[in-house]
Amino acid sequence: MAEEVKEMPEGEKEIVSKNFIEQIIEKDLAEGICDTVVTRFPPEPNGYLHIGHAKSILLNYGLSQKYNGKFNMRFDDTNPTKEKIEFVESIKKDIEWLGADWEDRLYYASNYFPQMYEGAVKLIKKGKAYVSDLTADEIRAYRGTLTEPGKEDPGTARSIEENLQLFEDMKSGKFEDGSKVLRARIDMASPNMNMRDPVIYRVAHMTHHNTGDQWCIYPMYDFAHPIEDAIEGITHSICTLEFEDHRPLYDWTLIELGYKNRPEETPKQIEFAKLYLKDVVTGKRYIKKLVEDGIVDGWDDPRLVSIAALRRRGFTPESIQRFVELCGVSKANSIAEYPALEYCIREDLKMKRPRMMAVLDPVKLVIDNYPDDQTEELTVVNNLENESLGSRKVPFGKELYIEREDFMEEPPKKYFRMFPGNEVRLMHAYFVKCTGCEKDADGNITVIHCTYDPASKGGNSPDGRKVKGTIHWVSVKESVKATVRLYENIIDEEKGVYNADGSLNLNPNSLTTLTECRLEPALKEAKAFESFQFVRQGFFCADFKDSKPGEPVFNRIVSLKSSYVLPK
Ligand code: ATP
Ligand code: MG
């Protein structure tokens, strides 16, 4: 039962083992624990989503699709301190972009405040909750340790009537923040600290982005979440590993409130390991700090791994989906590598996008024997591996730009590009032989000279002679000047992500802005988010914020070279 045959894109069949969540779901369906599968993604709107959230979104949505069920989108907005509408909007946009469709099921946990309040009253009436006067510090001190049981809260002596009245007074605003809390009465000697009379409601006079000033008491996550799941009929409530010890409280809440009878019934909490990327800032808290400290250009700075940043940089939903699948779903914490994500975007764009010529660090090349006023329109195939992308015209003339690093006056061994006396191929064009160069007073090379062989048009010579180097170029006259940004990890990997004091080890070279790049004219009208391969340089995407009509700014998504090996 744990294995299935999966159709692979190439038509090959591969045995794929089911992940442990799929196994649980299939057992529940087979045993009639549930009839359909309902999952949800419950972000707290206190920041932008990141690659780790993408894993959770695609996992929850994927399971709902696989088992013909439903996927709900729910803002877990029960803590008004850090929540903002800006985040609500960005989260919706990111999930839509990833392709997870909640149809008409967009919910807000804050809309369930009345049911949560009712639930708390019900617990009080059952003698399962009481109002406490202890301060947060006292509650901590009373809780005991792993080896010692906790002490009874004096609030446990209160009668049901008194608790009902006090809770009502908490709700109507009679108490200051922090002066009273409602605690569930469970077991002060439980080996699970979460079960030692957890706080389930607190007083907080705060304005909520959805409910305004209607409430001055707010439920705690562990109490609110199971109720939210139950109201929506969620069957499998998937969360990350750190909530494993909270599961008994999840089940306790649902059973005491009559939403289910046994822990095995639904809603059922299932924990899986978070996605972490090695040497990359993935936590929301740290991304937020980089944004707030002004180290990056907002939440969508292309160096970040927020979903908005990945989109801006030029990653596609398909590449993220592929990456998440590559990482798998497991119970054991493991660390994924950024090069795996790069591998996925390269694989996705390789066949889909045209291969263009762009010179990032230009130096002029003059073909001395080429007619002065002549311009040719060369027909260039857009992607040799994908004919359906068609072809385009590229202008060619006497004066070209080539990459500065494609010429050396005194080359080392095995340098096959331009140097005096050497013949190379100008990609898609002609063979040219280098004749020398000009320099300025400081010795910098300003112009390179060569001659061309008219018989080698198209890039091959009729006499069969070979060249070892092929370099790209753009025509000076028709080229477009553009800004291109190259990125490195924002973290200095040598030093590790965090310092002892919790601060981040930043890489001062994470952004390189090249302002003198020259592109072939077809790139002039690149639209925001449009991506291309720049031959020999990598994949690049037109920046949606900084590009202007006719003046594109490109971000490098990824270089072409990789040392990443796909795990077997
Ligand atoms: P962070 O850990 O970055 O602060 P969070 O857990 O506070 O994020 P939430 O908005 O509470 O963010 O998370 C929404 C959902 O996304 C939760 O179900 C959570 O378990 C899941 N999630 C968060 N981070 C990851 C991750 N790195 N890998 C997989 N799932 C994650
Ligand atoms: Mg959280």
Side-chain angles (χ1 to χ4, degrees):
M1 159 159 148
E3 291 194 331
E4 67 182 311
V5 178
K6 186 177 169 189
E7 287 290 339
M8 299 302 285
E10 298 83 15
E12 295 164 31
K13 291 197 161 114
E14 194 192 34
I15 304 290
V16 179
S17 59
K18 289 189 179 157
N19 68 46
F20 79 99
I21 301 181
E22 292 167 340
Q23 293 178 34
I24 294 173
I25 289 178
E26 291 186 15
K27 188 160 174 280
D28 288 346
L29 287 169
E31 292 176 358
I33 300 264
C34 63
D35 305 326
T36 50
V37 172
V38 187
T39 60
R40 87 285 173 263
F41 178 66
E44 202 185 335
N46 62 356
Y48 279 58
L49 299 180
H50 54 63
I51 184 82
H53 296 115
K55 176 167 186 173
S56 175
I57 294 162
L58 295 171
L59 172 65
N60 279 293
Y61 178 65
L63 289 168
S64 76
Q65 293 306 101
K66 179 163 182 170
Y67 297 104
N68 257 321
K70 287 181 187 159
F71 166 76
N72 290 0
M73 168 64 203
R74 180 206 311 149
F75 284 103
D76 205 341
D77 55 354
T78 55
N79 174 10
T81 19
K82 298 178 202 144
E83 296 166 2
K84 278 206 269 175
I85 291 289
E86 178 199 352
F87 299 139
V88 168
E89 294 309 322
S90 78
I91 289 171
K92 284 201 278 193
K93 186 171 168 186
D94 290 347
I95 299 175
E96 274 175 351
W97 178 75
L98 277 175
D101 184 5
W102 60 77
E103 297 171 354
D104 58 353
R105 292 179 304 282
L106 171 63
Y107 302 121
Y108 291 83
S110 54
N111 287 341
Y112 311 143
F113 284 155
Q115 290 98 316
M116 294 170 191
Y117 177 76
E118 290 302 314
V121 169
K122 185 169 180 175
L123 289 183
I124 297 173
K125 287 184 177 162
K126 289 175 78 176
K128 297 285 172 115
Y130 58 91
V131 174
S132 166
D133 307 319
L134 297 185
T135 63
D137 284 340
E138 286 166 337
I139 288 180
R140 213 168 298 124
Y142 272 58
R143 192 175 288 140
T145 64
L146 284 174
T147 49
E148 274 174 48
K151 274 197 299 185
E152 285 290 312
D153 184 317
T156 54
R158 289 187 163 127
S159 68
I160 289 175
E161 288 65 37
E162 193 185 349
N163 281 316
L164 284 172
Q165 187 57 52
L166 283 171
F167 188 50
E168 173 77 39
D169 292 344
M170 280 169 68
K171 178 176 173 249
S172 59
K174 294 209 177 128
F175 300 116
E176 307 251 302
D177 289 8
S179 62
K180 296 243 181 315
V181 292
L182 185 71
R183 297 181 75 175
R185 181 157 204 180
I186 309 180
D187 179 5
M188 286 309 286
S190 171
N192 182 340
M193 303 298 271
N194 295 302
M195 300 298 270
R196 293 189 185 175
D197 291 11
V199 173
I200 58 175
Y201 256 97
R202 65 196 168 115
V203 178
H205 293 267
M206 285 188 284
T207 302
H208 187 281
H209 74 93
N210 181 30
T211 57
D213 292 322
Q214 203 183 332
W215 296 88
C216 63
I217 52 171
Y218 289 95
M220 304 305 285
Y221 177 90
D222 283 339
F223 179 66
H225 206 83
I227 299 176
E228 296 159 23
D229 286 342
I231 291 171
E232 291 177 17
I234 299 299
T235 54
H236 298 86
S237 177
I238 299 168
C239 63
T240 46
L241 231 42
E242 69 273 26
F243 289 100
E244 196 164 17
D245 289 345
H246 298 239
R247 189 175 353 124
L249 182 50
Y250 182 94
D251 289 330
W252 182 91
T253 304
L254 291 177
I255 293 169
E256 290 300 335
L257 294 180
Y259 287 113
K260 67 178 186 180
N261 299 307
R262 298 177 296 133
E264 296 71 30
E265 291 174 6
T266 61
K268 156 187 279 197
Q269 178 180 303
I270 305 173
E271 310 86 21
F272 76 105
K274 272 194 173 186
L275 172 69
Y276 285 108
L277 277 172
K278 185 166 181 281
D279 296 333
V280 173
V281 181
T282 26
K284 200 188 310 190
R285 193 154 59 94
Y286 291 99
I287 295 180
K288 193 176 209 152
K289 185 150 172 39
L290 288 171
V291 174
E292 284 170 357
D293 292 353
I295 290 162
V296 293
D297 162 31
W299 284 92
D300 60 2
D301 185 294
R303 288 168 291 179
L304 298 174
V305 290
S306 61
I307 295 175
L310 291 168
R311 176 171 60 233
R312 180 172 175 194
R313 179 126 172 209
F315 281 83
T316 57
E318 293 80 3
S319 64
I320 294 174
Q321 171 89 45
R322 188 168 184 159
F323 171 68
V324 163
E325 279 170 19
L326 203 62
C327 294
V329 178
S330 99
K331 264 271 193 225
N333 273 318
S334 69
I335 293 195
E337 294 196 38
Y338 189 78
L341 183 59
E342 294 188 316
Y343 165 86
C344 293
I345 186 64
R346 262 191 222 104
E347 285 297 302
D348 188 41
L349 297 180
K350 195 167 69 179
M351 308 292 279
K352 284 191 196 163
R353 305 303 308 152
R355 300 174 184 180
M356 316 292 283
M357 292 196 284
V359 177
L360 303 189
D361 182 15
V363 61
K364 204 181 262 187
L365 175 73
V366 178
I367 308 172
D368 292 316
N369 63 339
Y370 193 87
D372 281 352
D373 300 322
Q374 183 172 310
T375 307
E376 288 178 76
E377 291 268 300
L378 304 176
T379 301
V380 171
V381 172
N382 282 329
N383 186 326
L384 273 174
E385 293 179 80
N386 180 2
E387 273 181 24
S388 73
L389 292 182
S391 61
R392 66 183 188 281
K393 298 270 191 231
V394 182
F396 182 87
K398 186 182 181 79
E399 293 195 333
L400 307 173
Y401 286 116
I402 63 168
E403 297 288 350
R404 194 165 278 281
E405 63 169 27
D406 284 342
F407 172 81
M408 283 184 101
E409 207 177 5
E410 288 167 27
K413 278 208 171 96
K414 300 208 172 160
Y415 185 87
F416 301 121
R417 291 171 268 169
M418 284 224 150
F419 56 86
N422 191 38
E423 189 169 49
V424 298
R425 175 187 294 111
L426 291 177
M427 195 176 281
H428 311 298
Y430 294 98
F431 280 13
V432 291
K433 191 168 195 168
C434 182
T435 53
C437 66
E438 293 173 36
K439 290 185 209 171
D440 65 15
D442 299 327
N444 301 309
I445 290 156
T446 51
V447 182
I448 300 160
H449 289 272
C450 68
T451 55
Y452 85 123
D453 174 1
S456 64
K457 185 164 181 178
N460 287 300
S461 76
D463 62 12
R465 73 182 191 278
K466 297 267 187 284
V467 288
K468 281 200 168 139
T470 299
I471 65 178
H472 63 278
W473 49 271
V474 296
S475 168
V476 168
K477 202 158 32 143
E478 291 85 1
S479 71
V480 183
K481 195 166 151 189
T483 293
V484 173
R485 297 190 286 228
L486 308 180
Y487 302 106
E488 283 178 21
N489 192 349
I490 197 153
I491 291 299
D492 183 343
E493 294 161 31
E494 308 268 293
K495 295 191 189 146
V497 180
Y498 308 107
N499 289 309
D501 64 356
S503 60
L504 298 166
N505 273 316
L506 298 173
N507 169 9
N509 304 317
S510 60
L511 168 65
T512 304
T513 304
L514 305 170
T515 54
E516 299 294 321
C517 306
R518 299 287 177 153
L519 318 179
E520 62 169 278
L523 287 166
K524 185 170 172 146
E525 304 305 332
K527 291 182 212 51
F529 293 110
E530 206 177 354
S531 62
F532 303 88
Q533 180 179 138
F534 290 176
V535 291
R536 302 173 64 215
Q537 303 284 9
F539 291 98
F540 294 74
C541 181
D543 191 82
F544 85 99
K545 277 194 172 163
D546 301 325
S547 296
K548 295 193 190 78
E551 284 177 55
V553 171
F554 282 96
N555 301 325
R556 178 150 75 186
I557 312 167
V558 66
S559 63
L560 294 177
K561 292 187 200 87
S562 165
S563 54
Y564 178 72
V565 185
L566 196 60
K568 285 244 161 48

